């Protein structure tokens, strides 16, 4: 019994009933003007459905009254953008008026019938002979009203999802927006992995080398390198957090290949012998290419320090007319980095692919080679 009556305790039951009643206001107003043509409001719905904003208004109202509290109700709040949308809106308006008439009739007539049956049971005949058996029949119209209210509420909600639901174009737009959000999250994850991972790797290598050396002068240099690398990592972290807070910071604030000196000095301070050579106009590279090139170089140097330690590293940066070429190589370590599942190497390939370029990582001729080619146009 409690389960049967539970819908009566839900606010959604009454907001759906209100949604069914609302179209009857226009019918009642028209009946006051011209009671001889009660069907006229249905004709007015045809030009009304042609207005694009009507679909948005119906969608907002349906979400508020039919699906209150639902995060994904499946009802659009966008205006009509095609004749198909307008046709669906017209069908929805007509169907809503019909269901509203049924709901209004049941809401008024069934309680009156209950009262008539109760009067008949006590000898006060309305339109039929009094009889005590009417007392048993009196609750039935209320039970029927209960079923009508719940049934019509569920039916009008289902129709709203079908007729006011997102069109194919809206689904594609929502999918594109979701894809952009996922790409942004992936980019932020890569940024954190590259900048913070590089800083932690340098700090670990420097701390280990300082402890093993036992030289106060070397320890001082190591602490200085850790401090500088940590400060740079904090700047990167603040920038990424600014993106998460939707701060209006330009993309140009991200480091580029023109700032590669701090990466090289950080690697050299960690004991690596970096042989760096750049050809071409690196300073005039397009912003996106230069920024992604910086991150690829950073991740490559991080992998060298993490997996090979203080070894000679050869870095070549070539800015041509059509593409930027990056090549970082070092002697093969005792334990090769993963070439498939490592997030760092995968990030290098993803960054190159994002700009329409290619990246290759792996052993070659006794060295570990990272080579990326990024188009400039």
């Amino acid at each position: 019994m409690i389960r049967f009556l539970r819908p009566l305790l839900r606010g959604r039951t009454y907001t759906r009933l209100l949604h069914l009643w609302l179209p009857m206001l226009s019918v009642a107003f028209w009946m006051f003007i011209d009671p001889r043509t009660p069907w006229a409001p249905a004709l007015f719905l045809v030009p009304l459905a042609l207005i694009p904003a009507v679909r948005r208004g119906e969608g907002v109202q349906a979400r508020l009254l039919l699906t209150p509290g639902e995060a994904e109700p499946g009802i659009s709040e966008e205006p009509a953008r095609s004749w198909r949308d307008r046709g669906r809106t017209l069908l929805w308006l007509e169907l809503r008026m019909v269901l509203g008439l049924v709901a209004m009739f049941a809401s008024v007539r069934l309680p009156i019938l209950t009262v008539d049956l109760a009067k008949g049971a006590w000898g006060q005949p309305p339109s039929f002979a009094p009889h005590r058996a009417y007392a048993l029949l009196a609750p039935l119209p209320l039970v029927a009203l209960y079923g009508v209210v719940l049934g019509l509420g569920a039916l009008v909600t289902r129709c709203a999802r079908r007729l006011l639901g997102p069109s194919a174009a809206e689904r594609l737009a929502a999918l594109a927006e979701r894809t952009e959000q996922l790409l942004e999250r992936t980019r932020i994850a890569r940024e954190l992995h590259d900048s913070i991972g590089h800083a932690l790797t340098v700090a670990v290598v420097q701390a280990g080398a300082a402890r093993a050396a036992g030289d106060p002068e070397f320890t001082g240099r190591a602490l200085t390198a850790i401090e500088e690398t940590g400060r740079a990592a904090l700047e990167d972290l603040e920038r990424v957090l600014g993106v998460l807070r939707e701060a209006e910071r330009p993309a140009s604030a991200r480091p580029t290949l023109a700032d590669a000196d701090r990466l090289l000095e950080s690697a050299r301070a960690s004991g690596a012998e970096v042989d760096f050579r750049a050809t071409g106009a690196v300073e005039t590279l397009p912003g996106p290419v230069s920024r992604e090139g910086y991150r690829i170089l950073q991740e490559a140097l991080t992998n060298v320090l993490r997996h090979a330690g203080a070894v000679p590293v050869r870095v070549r940066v070539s800015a041509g007319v059509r593409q930027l070429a990056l090549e970082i190589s070092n002697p093969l370590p005792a334990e090769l980095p993963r070439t498939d599942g490592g997030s760092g190497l995968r990030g290098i390939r993803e960054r190159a692919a994002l700009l329409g370029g290619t990246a290759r990582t792996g052993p070659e001729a006794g060295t570990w080679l990272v080579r990326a080619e990024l188009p400039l146009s």
Side-chain angles (χ1 to χ4, degrees):
M1 186 64 180
I2 296 178
R3 184 178 180 181
F4 178 76
L5 297 176
R6 189 173 298 166
L8 296 178
L9 303 177
R10 296 172 182 164
R12 183 176 60 184
T13 301
Y14 303 100
T15 58
R16 288 180 175 179
L17 181 59
L18 176 61
H19 185 272
L20 290 167
W21 283 349
L22 285 177
M24 297 304 98
L25 296 177
S26 60
V27 175
F29 178 75
W30 182 257
M31 289 290 291
F32 178 78
I33 297 176
D34 187 2
R36 295 171 300 176
T37 57
W39 41 266
L43 296 179
F44 295 150
L45 296 178
V46 177
L48 191 65
L50 300 180
I51 303 175
V54 170
R55 182 168 180 262
R56 168 179 284 175
E58 290 294 318
V60 171
Q61 188 182 127
R63 288 170 70 109
L64 288 175
L65 298 179
L66 299 181
T67 59
E70 292 188 21
E72 297 293 337
I75 300 175
S76 174
E77 293 184 352
E78 296 296 323
R81 291 188 172 88
S82 65
W83 287 106
R84 179 179 175 83
D85 289 343
R86 293 178 176 89
R88 294 168 68 199
T89 304
L90 175 59
L91 182 58
W92 160 255
L93 292 174
E94 299 286 358
L95 181 63
R96 184 183 176 189
M97 180 165 287
V98 172
L99 295 179
L101 284 171
V102 175
M104 182 64 73
F105 177 82
S107 301
V108 174
R109 189 70 189 94
L110 292 178
I112 292 176
L113 181 58
T114 295
V115 173
D116 288 345
L117 290 172
K119 288 182 178 180
W122 294 100
Q124 298 177 10
S127 58
F128 37 79
H131 197 284
R132 296 294 183 185
Y134 292 147
L136 299 176
L137 299 177
L140 295 183
L142 296 180
V143 175
L145 177 61
Y146 171 85
V148 169
V149 169
L150 294 184
L152 289 179
L155 178 60
V156 74
T157 303
R158 185 171 183 178
C159 293
R161 290 193 172 105
R162 189 67 178 268
L163 299 176
L164 297 179
S167 62
E170 291 170 353
R171 290 191 183 95
L172 288 176
L175 181 60
E177 182 180 358
R178 177 61 176 165
T179 302
E180 288 295 326
Q181 292 175 351
L182 292 177
L183 288 175
E184 182 65 12
R185 290 174 59 182
T186 301
R187 187 186 69 79
I188 291 174
R190 283 201 303 261
E191 293 284 333
L192 287 174
H193 173 272
D194 293 348
S195 60
I196 307 303
H198 174 78
L200 291 177
T201 299
V202 170
V204 170
V205 172
Q206 289 281 2
R211 183 179 62 181
D215 183 358
E217 183 178 352
F218 182 85
T219 301
R221 292 198 303 270
L223 291 176
T224 301
I226 292 174
E227 179 184 3
E228 293 175 352
T229 305
R231 186 177 294 112
L234 286 176
E235 293 175 359
D236 288 341
L237 180 60
E238 180 63 26
R239 178 185 51 76
V240 173
L241 292 178
V243 173
L244 291 175
R245 290 191 296 264
E246 299 182 351
E248 296 182 357
R249 299 184 62 181
S252 58
R254 296 168 56 191
T256 65
L257 281 175
D259 306 310
D261 287 343
R262 76 179 191 179
L263 289 179
L264 303 177
E265 291 303 322
S266 177
R268 290 179 178 127
S270 298
E273 300 177 8
V274 182
D275 177 17
F276 176 79
R277 184 180 302 171
T279 58
V282 177
E283 296 79 6
T284 61
L285 288 171
V289 176
S290 189
R291 289 190 290 268
E292 297 304 323
Y294 177 92
R295 291 305 186 191
I296 290 174
L297 175 59
Q298 182 182 54
E299 179 58 32
L301 292 175
T302 301
N303 281 337
V304 172
L305 295 174
R306 181 180 299 157
H307 298 288
V311 297
V313 184
R314 182 175 178 269
V315 179
R316 296 292 182 265
V317 178
S318 176
V321 178
R322 296 185 177 181
Q323 72 175 15
L324 168 69
L326 294 169
E327 185 175 292
I328 303 95
S329 61
N330 62 275
L332 281 175
E335 181 181 352
L336 293 179
R338 293 182 299 175
T339 59
D340 52 353
S343 58
L345 299 179
R346 184 171 63 249
I348 290 176
R349 293 189 288 267
E350 289 175 352
R351 287 182 182 278
L354 187 64
L355 297 176
T358 59
R360 182 165 53 90
T361 61
E364 182 174 309
T367 64
W368 179 267
L369 178 67
V370 175
R371 179 172 179 81
E373 296 177 351
L374 309 178
L376 300 182
S377 59

